Amino acid sequence: MALSILVVEDEPGQRELIVGMLRTEGYRLREADCVEAAIVSIKTDTPDLVFSDWKLGQLSGMDLLNYVKREFPDVGFIMATAYGTITHAVDAIQAGADDYLTKPYQRQALLLAISKVARSQALRKENKALSLALSEQQSLVGLVGKAPCMQGVFDRISRISGTDATVLIGGESGTGKELAARALHQLSRRAHMPFIAINCGAIPENIAEAELFGAEKGAFTGATALKLGKLEAAHGGTVFLDEIGELPLLQQTKLLRFLQEGTITRVGAQKELQLDVRVIAATHRDLRLEVAEGRFREDLFYRLNVVPVLMPPLRERREDIGRLVEHFLKLHASQYGFDQPKISSTAMRFLLDYRWPGNVRELSNRIERFVLLGDEEELMQESEHSSKEQGLQLPDEGIEWEAFEARCLSQAMARFDGNRTKAAKWLGMSYKAFLYRLEKHRLV
């Protein structure tokens, strides 16, 4: 639809000149000769753009601009000023006008100004729509957070959700790794297909192959019927391999083959099956260190780590705690059909200052318990884990220093996505000493 423009000019000759210049371009035009008439016109049928002279009788174009930006902030505004009153133009821009023109008007300058404002409006509308869509999507998948580190997570998820890239989600226990995986699935083209979550640490090693890849009838004792594996069940959708670092080495080899070729073979079968499955994995372990110590295949690590997503711990996003508290209060009160309870300022201060060793999961559990019991003293209890974190506690039997140092270096590198300068600074080491220790432990 053609752009609609309201031309506000109290001199009939000037107004006719402007309208004549614009009519040939196909714009939908309306006219007003004063601020009062312009306001009535805007309320009746809001235009896309207002083109207004500065001098309009008792009320000025500046009065109209202030009204429009207050009541109709999405409407574009161009201010016209007489030659020699450029300060008026500056004031208008500072008050929110999109552009200004000086008299006498040049047709090309007028059309260019309107074209620029029209493009700017289109971009604003597009960004607003995208922001609204992303906000709705984030709400849909249960991710909550305005902290910069969480906005970075949201941005990365939105960028890769439309692809089939393999993703490795890292982060401490309780940070919401499965929520991030579900977000990637629900925002993808596979959203209407299965999402199969597998806790790799909970599968007994002797049946891990059958659980993942399936088994034919009679393939082993007790296999009285065909068993579909989790990967096959996820055909067309997404499989989430939680705690991938716990997967036995033998199954790591078979998973690597699936990632490379997209095929599986059920236990006891000869025929390969071609599958269309997106793989998302997660771990709280440092897989680089697991590779270095021979517990995880290096080639599998690189196959999984195509796009890394790091979920930040709650202590690094404290500005989100209040928002998360409100979210969990509503969620759990609705879950149990209770009225939403209030939290005192004392309890809220504790929640804001607490270290949260169990991250978002611990916060959710505490709020759920508070909704059920209404006991603020229990809500504010220090956890045993938290009290132990007050200082570094070394085991009575001592530690193996070389392994401990290697783990510290590897975790620092993982925390800063391989940025050696930041990792060295975080460990309180000089860059040169940090590089020496990386080479010493063969972590480069």
Side-chain angles (χ1 to χ4, degrees):
M1 184 180 291
L3 195 75
S4 62
I5 302 174
L6 173 63
V7 178
V8 189
E9 168 63 68
D10 59 347
E11 295 183 16
Q14 286 288 329
R15 192 168 64 248
E16 185 178 342
L17 174 66
I18 298 165
V19 170
M21 289 180 181
L22 297 178
R23 183 170 286 125
T24 57
E25 300 301 314
Y27 295 123
R28 293 184 293 122
L29 300 168
R30 284 183 288 133
E31 305 173 32
D33 60 1
C34 64
V35 172
E36 295 86 348
I39 289 174
V40 171
S41 179
I42 292 169
K43 284 184 174 180
T44 303
D45 185 11
T46 306
D48 298 310
L49 171 66
V50 175
F51 182 91
S52 175
D53 191 15
W54 179 280
K55 296 182 68 175
L56 293 169
Q58 280 190 321
L59 296 177
S60 69
M62 198 68 173
D63 294 312
L64 181 59
L65 171 62
N66 290 332
Y67 169 80
V68 169
K69 288 304 167 185
R70 184 178 68 251
E71 302 295 334
F72 302 92
D74 292 334
V75 172
F77 203 104
I78 298 176
M79 186 73 80
T81 65
Y83 180 78
T85 57
I86 199 70
T87 55
H88 286 172
V90 174
D91 291 341
I93 294 296
Q94 291 177 343
D98 295 277
D99 207 344
Y100 70 89
L101 285 178
T102 56
K103 297 179 179 179
Y105 303 120
Q106 299 294 322
R107 182 175 183 276
Q108 198 60 36
L110 174 62
L111 296 180
L112 180 60
I114 289 175
S115 176
K116 282 167 55 181
V117 174
R119 286 199 301 271
S120 177
Q121 279 185 294
L123 285 173
R124 281 202 297 266
K125 287 179 181 178
E126 184 179 347
N127 289 339
K128 189 174 181 180
L130 287 172
S131 297
L132 180 61
L134 183 57
S135 175
E136 290 173 348
Q137 290 166 346
Q138 290 165 3
S139 175
L140 172 70
V141 298
L143 287 168
V144 176
K146 294 292 186 181
C149 55
M150 280 303 292
Q151 289 301 305
V153 170
F154 292 150
D155 179 65
R156 180 160 284 211
I157 287 174
S158 68
R159 286 171 179 267
I160 60 177
S161 58
T163 74
D164 285 334
T166 305
V167 179
L168 181 60
I169 305 173
E172 298 174 9
S173 294
T175 50
K177 295 187 288 295
E178 184 168 343
L179 280 178
R182 289 185 181 276
L184 283 163
H185 173 72
Q186 291 187 24
L187 304 181
S188 75
R189 63 179 179 83
R190 300 175 181 269
H192 63 290
M193 300 301 285
F195 176 89
I196 305 294
I198 306 167
N199 186 336
C200 298
I203 304 175
E205 188 168 351
N206 62 327
I207 63 168
E209 184 175 0
E211 282 293 309
L212 289 174
F213 304 102
E216 295 289 334
K217 180 180 179 180
F220 53 84
T221 304
T224 57
L226 172 67
K227 177 180 177 57
L228 287 184
K230 300 290 189 183
L231 289 171
E232 191 172 350
H235 181 61
T238 303
V239 66
F240 173 52
L241 300 171
D242 198 10
E243 297 304 343
I244 188 68
E246 310 292 335
L247 194 67
L249 279 168
L250 177 60
Q251 306 317 323
Q252 290 179 29
T253 303
K254 294 180 180 293
L255 177 62
L256 174 64
R257 185 167 182 269
F258 168 69
L259 289 171
Q260 290 173 329
E261 301 178 13
T263 61
I264 64 165
T265 304
R266 297 187 193 126
V267 177
Q270 301 297 320
K271 182 181 177 182
E272 290 185 339
L273 297 174
Q274 188 79 35
L275 299 181
D276 172 26
V277 177
R278 184 186 193 177
V279 174
I280 301 172
T283 180
H284 74 279
R285 292 181 178 273
D286 179 354
L287 289 189
R288 294 181 187 274
L289 184 58
E290 297 295 303
V291 168
E293 297 182 353
R295 292 190 293 270
F296 200 85
R297 291 188 60 117
E298 184 176 23
D299 44 7
L300 177 58
F301 168 72
Y302 287 114
R303 278 283 178 180
L304 293 171
N305 198 41
V306 175
V307 182
V309 173
L310 180 63
M311 298 300 293
L314 189 51
R315 63 182 174 275
E316 293 182 4
R317 43 182 293 224
R318 292 188 179 278
E319 57 263 64
D320 284 338
I321 291 175
R323 189 173 289 106
L324 286 163
V325 167
E326 185 66 21
H327 170 75
F328 289 130
L329 282 171
K330 288 180 181 178
L331 177 68
H332 295 310
S334 173
Q335 176 185 352
Y336 293 107
F338 288 4
D339 291 333
Q340 184 174 324
K342 301 291 185 183
I343 290 181
S344 71
S345 58
T346 301
M348 181 57 74
R349 174 47 54 193
F350 170 86
L351 298 178
L352 291 172
D353 292 340
Y354 182 59
R355 185 165 172 74
W356 296 111
N359 292 298
V360 178
R361 184 186 297 126
E362 181 184 1
L363 175 59
S364 176
N365 290 346
R366 283 185 180 238
I367 297 298
E368 182 175 8
R369 192 159 58 243
F370 174 67
V371 168
L372 291 170
L373 303 177
D375 187 347
E376 280 201 346
E377 288 189 11
E378 192 167 343
L379 180 66
M380 294 189 289
Q381 281 183 354
E382 292 277 354
S383 72
E384 182 181 353
H385 185 178
S386 180
S387 64
K388 287 180 179 178
E389 284 193 339
Q390 299 304 312
L392 178 62
Q393 302 293 318
L394 297 178
D396 293 337
E397 64 274 16
I399 61 171
E400 204 291 297
W401 177 256
E402 293 297 315
F404 178 77
E405 185 179 68
R407 185 176 291 272
C408 289
L409 294 167
S410 186
Q411 288 185 5
M413 288 289 283
R415 175 178 285 265
F416 296 102
D417 292 329
N419 187 312
R420 298 176 181 180
T421 302
K422 290 182 178 179
K425 185 177 179 181
W426 187 67
L427 288 173
M429 299 170 61
S430 71
Y431 186 68
K432 186 175 181 180
F434 184 72
L435 288 183
Y436 167 75
R437 285 174 170 77
L438 286 180
E439 292 175 358
K440 170 185 171 185
H441 294 285
R442 298 182 181 178
L443 295 175
V444 289

